[in-house]
């Protein structure tokens, strides 16, 4: 099957749906810079399209077949890991026996029920060969495996390290572990073997339950101490109290999950929608987090981990179209531990005495007598005036009249006419009138009229004939860009250490060339790009840069425009951490 046929079968329907997103996710016209020089890729091989997923037979609802025995819905496969030479057994309640092909894991893999506390026995310890430990293990969560997936392939892993056994058996400490299912967005970008999980040691001041709930979904609580259990403690009663609500996720068959569940990490969906256990899947593609857009320099912004999109230019405007999202079932567990001794929280403080000694301060101020002497000369005040006969003279006939100036004040208030009138608004609402004219595309229109012949008889005979009227027109469809993109993966499940292959198909669905096409894919922290595995058309410029979560952002810059009807793909491999 060629790539063209595979695109039509696998993703043509999704491509047409994605085509409608082009107009809704456009941005103002920006100048697109030319890509930086980089090594070019070899042309992708013509053969070898992505293999379609194989449909596996689904088991009966609520059961899973594991090497012959049938597991109930509330039974989870748990695999322990201990130092070499250490023996492990389940004291009580009895565990579900499982058939394991691997002889090394035969005595370390059991079927444990959710909500039941199991007592284990560890003997032949590395630092204390004659000592024994009795850990308590309680499952507070479970997996939601899709139908057809072997439970033995994804067991809940609980480790007992040399440090755990040494703290409990030699140092007399209580070791507490909270095993949780990692949130793929917050996972550590570190590769581990299949039989190991990342473990972080906390300080005594930190709460392991709160830290585990913030990083993922708690599935198991483990306590390791030096005390031997009593007969009453072998009945399965644990210390953890389940909340008064069942598991909020949907079950493997799509129905509502009825099992009890521990603390759940994540944002609930809107009312009426099912809550999917996304922490059990690695989903890559689409546009999550901040929406992708173009900045002032024309560069693409908002590429978050797990985003995948194709960037192109049409109608002199840069555009971006996200791919669909593909998911792989690949749960990974991690643990946080706290080791607390008998005097771990003992704080000793010496008696502190504060002595404050103050001397009396005396202020001595000596002031001598002050003598104030003011010497002034004798001052003589003399006033000399000549004698005058008459101070005022008035001749006869003079009339002297003194009047006080009287003023007439007239206060007139300004008479104003104030008219307060509110603004008048004239609202006229008119609905937009849409005029739609649907006309099918007619390549050739021909309108012909019948031949009309008129005969006039009289003294003479006159025959007249009219030529038929013809109208021929060709309508050309308008120039319209369109691009479809489909992402696929070659498997539906993967364990840590497996290599998966992703392929991104693209096709020009319009009737104009698509310019400056770039394919961008930012990987999750649990996906590690395999060097030199990227493929693309001949002359493609490929670059791989580190993103903000410690993984890789991949980019393919195509060498030429994509002509109408042309299609292609880019491909790369990633290792599951």
């Amino acid at each position: 099957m060629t790539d063209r046929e595979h695109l039509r079968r696998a993703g043509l329907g999704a491509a047409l749906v994605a085509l409608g997103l082009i107009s809704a996710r456009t941005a103002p016209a920006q100048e697109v810079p030319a890509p930086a020089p980089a090594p070019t890729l070899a042309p992708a091989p013509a053969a070898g399209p992505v293999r379609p997923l194989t449909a596996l037979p689904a088991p009966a609802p609520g059961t899973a077949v594991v090497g012959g025995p049938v597991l109930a819905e509330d039974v989870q496969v748990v695999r322990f890991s201990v130092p070499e030479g250490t023996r492990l057994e389940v004291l009580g309640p009895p565990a579900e026996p499982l058939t394991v092909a691997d002889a090394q894991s035969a005595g370390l893999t059991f079927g444990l029920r959710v909500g039941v506390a199991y007592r284990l026995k560890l003997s032949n310890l590395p630092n204390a060969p004659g000592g024994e430990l009795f850990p308590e293990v309680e499952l507070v969560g479970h997996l939601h495996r899709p139908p057809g997936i072997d439970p033995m392939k994804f067991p809940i892993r609980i480790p007992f390290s040399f440090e755990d056994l040494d703290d409990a058996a030699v140092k007399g400490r209580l070791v507490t572990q909270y095993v949780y299912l990692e949130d793929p967005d917050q996972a550590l970008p570190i590769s581990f073997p299949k039989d190991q999980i990342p473990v972080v040691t906390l300080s005594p001041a930190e709460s392991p339950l709160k830290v585990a709930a913030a990083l993922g979904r708690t599935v198991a609580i483990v306590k390791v101490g030096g005390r031997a259990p009593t007969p009453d403690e072998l009945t399965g009663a644990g210390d953890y109290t389940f909340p008064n609500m069942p598991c909020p996720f949907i079950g493997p068959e799509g129905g509502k999950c009825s099992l009890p569940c521990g603390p759940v990490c994540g944002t609930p969906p809107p009312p009426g929608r099912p809550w999917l256990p996304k922490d059990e899947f690695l989903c890559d593609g689409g546009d999550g987090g901040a929406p992708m857009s173009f900045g002032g320099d024309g560069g693409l912004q908002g590429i978050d981990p797990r985003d995948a999109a194709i960037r192109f230019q049409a109608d002199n405007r840069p555009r971006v179209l996200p791919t669909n999202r593909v998911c792989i079932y690949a749960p990974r567990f991690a643990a946080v531990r706290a080791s607390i001794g008998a005097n771990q929280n003992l704080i000793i403080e010496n008696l502190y005495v504060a002595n404050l000694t103050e001397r009396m301060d005396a202020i001595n101020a000596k002031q001598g007598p002050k003598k104030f002497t003011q010497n002034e000369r004798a001052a003589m005040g003399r006033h000399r005036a000549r004698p005058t006969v008459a101070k005022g003279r008035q001749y006869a006939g003079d009339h002297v009249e003194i009047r006080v100036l009287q003023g007439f004040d007239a206060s007139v208030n300004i008479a104003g006419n104030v008219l307060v009138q509110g603004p008048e608004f004239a609202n006229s609402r008119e609905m937009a009138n849409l005029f739609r004219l649907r006309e099918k595309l007619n390549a050739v229109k021909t309108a012909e009229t019948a031949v009309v012949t008129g005969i006039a008889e009289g003294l003479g005979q006159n025959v007249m004939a009219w030529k038929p009227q013809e109208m021929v027109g060709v309508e050309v469809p308008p120039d319209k860009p369109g691009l479809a993109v489909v992402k696929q993966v070659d498997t539906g499940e993967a364990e840590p250490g497996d290599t998966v292959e992703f392929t991104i198909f693209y096709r020009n669905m319009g009737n104009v060339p698509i310019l400056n096409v770039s394919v961008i894919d930012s990987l999750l922290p649990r996906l590690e790009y395999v060097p030199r595995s990227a493929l693309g058309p001949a002359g493609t410029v490929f670059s791989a840069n580190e993103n903000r979560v410690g993984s890789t952002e991949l980019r393919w810059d195509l060498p030429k425009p994509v002509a109408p009807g042309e299609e292609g793909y880019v491909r790369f491999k990633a290792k599951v951490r």
Side-chain angles (χ1 to χ4, degrees):
M1 183 186 299
T2 64
D3 290 341
R4 182 187 297 271
E5 295 175 351
H6 185 74
L7 177 62
R8 292 195 184 99
R9 291 189 180 184
L12 188 56
L16 295 178
V17 175
L19 184 61
L21 297 176
I22 295 179
S23 59
R25 304 185 70 90
T26 57
Q30 301 288 344
E31 194 69 24
V32 180
T40 58
L41 297 179
V50 175
R51 300 189 301 272
L53 300 181
T54 304
L56 300 177
T63 60
V65 179
V66 183
V70 177
L71 295 181
E73 184 182 7
D74 60 340
V75 175
Q76 298 291 305
V77 178
V78 180
R79 183 169 297 172
F80 299 94
S81 61
V82 296
E84 185 177 359
T86 304
R87 291 192 296 269
L88 183 146
E89 58 180 313
V90 180
L91 295 182
E96 301 291 332
L98 301 176
T99 303
V100 184
D102 185 8
Q104 186 178 1
S105 303
L108 301 175
T109 305
F110 303 92
L112 304 184
R113 294 185 179 275
V114 180
V116 178
Y118 291 87
R119 281 286 180 170
L120 310 182
K121 179 181 178 181
L122 297 175
S123 57
N124 195 23
L125 307 179
N127 281 4
E132 294 179 344
L133 294 176
F134 303 91
E136 179 186 280
V137 177
E138 184 175 3
L139 296 186
V140 296
H142 58 283
L143 296 177
H144 305 76
R145 293 178 297 269
I149 293 184
D150 186 4
M152 299 296 296
K153 194 174 182 179
F154 302 99
I156 298 176
R157 299 185 179 274
I158 299 179
F160 292 108
S161 63
F162 176 84
E163 184 180 4
D164 297 336
L165 304 184
D166 184 69
D167 286 353
V170 180
K171 300 179 181 179
R173 296 188 173 186
L174 174 63
V175 180
T176 306
Q177 286 190 21
Y178 283 79
V179 181
Y180 61 92
L181 189 64
E182 274 189 316
D183 184 359
D185 295 331
Q186 305 183 59
L188 296 175
I190 305 175
S191 298
F192 293 91
K194 294 182 180 180
D195 57 344
Q196 295 182 11
I197 63 174
V199 180
V200 178
T201 301
L202 305 178
S203 65
E206 296 177 288
S207 173
L209 180 59
K210 292 183 179 180
V211 175
L215 298 177
R217 174 159 49 102
T218 304
V219 294
I221 300 176
V222 183
K223 297 179 181 179
V224 186
R227 185 177 62 85
T230 62
D232 295 337
E233 294 176 339
L234 301 179
T235 59
D239 300 333
Y240 182 78
T241 303
F242 283 93
N244 297 326
M245 59 172 293
C247 176
F249 302 113
I250 62 173
E253 302 296 331
K256 188 175 181 180
C257 181
S258 59
L259 295 178
C261 186
V264 175
C265 181
T267 304
R273 285 191 174 184
W275 196 350
L276 302 176
K278 297 181 180 179
D279 49 7
E280 301 180 27
F281 294 85
L282 286 179
C283 296
D284 190 74
D287 183 11
M292 289 180 285
S293 60
F294 292 95
D297 57 350
L300 187 60
Q301 299 177 348
I303 297 294
D304 301 315
R306 91 167 56 211
D307 288 354
I310 186 167
R311 175 184 181 275
F312 60 99
Q313 187 174 2
D315 294 340
N316 296 325
R317 292 186 301 171
R319 301 188 181 186
V320 59
L321 178 65
T323 68
N324 57 300
R325 181 170 294 184
V326 293
C327 296
I328 306 172
Y329 188 77
R332 190 177 80 167
F333 300 94
V336 292
R337 64 182 296 272
S339 179
I340 301 177
N343 60 346
Q344 189 72 32
N345 294 329
L346 182 61
I347 301 177
I348 300 176
E349 295 183 356
N350 294 326
L351 182 62
Y352 180 76
V353 179
N355 295 326
L356 181 61
T357 304
E358 295 182 357
R359 285 184 173 183
M360 296 180 60
D361 295 332
I363 301 177
N364 297 323
K366 296 180 179 181
Q367 296 181 358
K370 294 182 179 181
K371 185 178 181 180
F372 180 74
T373 304
Q374 184 177 5
N375 297 323
E376 294 182 358
R377 290 184 177 183
M380 182 181 293
R382 296 177 180 180
H383 178 69
R384 295 178 181 181
R386 291 181 179 182
T388 54
V389 179
K391 292 288 185 178
R393 293 179 180 180
Q394 183 175 359
Y395 297 97
D398 293 340
H399 176 74
V400 179
E401 182 178 0
I402 299 176
R403 292 185 179 183
V404 179
L405 179 63
Q406 297 180 357
F408 178 75
D409 297 334
S411 300
V412 180
N413 295 329
I414 300 176
N417 184 11
V418 180
L419 177 60
V420 180
Q421 182 175 355
E424 296 182 357
F425 295 95
N427 296 330
S428 177
R429 298 183 179 179
E430 295 183 1
M431 298 181 64
N433 295 325
L434 301 179
F435 179 73
R436 297 181 178 178
L437 176 60
R438 298 183 178 179
E439 184 176 350
K440 296 184 178 179
L441 177 61
N442 295 323
V444 179
K445 292 183 178 180
T446 303
E448 299 182 359
T449 58
V451 178
V452 180
T453 303
I455 302 177
E457 296 182 356
L459 297 177
Q461 186 174 359
N462 185 14
V463 179
M464 295 177 294
W466 289 272
K467 196 175 182 179
Q469 298 178 359
E470 297 181 0
M471 181 182 67
V472 179
V474 178
E475 293 186 2
V476 180
D479 295 338
K480 185 177 181 181
L483 192 64
V485 58
V486 177
K487 186 172 185 178
Q488 290 186 347
V489 64
D490 64 340
T491 184
E493 56 182 282
E495 295 181 276
D498 293 349
T499 300
V500 297
E501 188 176 60
F502 293 95
T503 304
I504 301 177
F505 292 92
Y506 58 88
R507 182 180 181 184
N508 189 349
M509 308 291 291
N511 56 357
V512 294
I514 302 296
L515 309 177
N516 300 330
V517 179
S518 300
V519 182
I520 305 172
D521 196 345
S522 184
L523 304 181
L524 288 169
R526 285 193 55 198
L527 292 177
E528 179 182 357
Y529 167 68
V530 178
R532 296 180 295 277
S533 65
L535 299 175
T540 299
V541 179
F542 174 76
S543 60
N545 300 313
E546 184 178 359
N547 58 11
R548 60 182 176 85
V549 295
S551 190
T552 312
E553 180 180 315
L554 310 176
R555 175 166 178 163
W556 294 262
D557 294 322
L558 302 188
K560 59 181 181 179
V562 181
E566 185 180 355
E567 61 186 28
Y569 65 91
V570 297
R571 181 176 294 171
F572 69 97
K573 294 181 180 179
K575 179 182 177 182
V576 178
R577 290 169 172 165

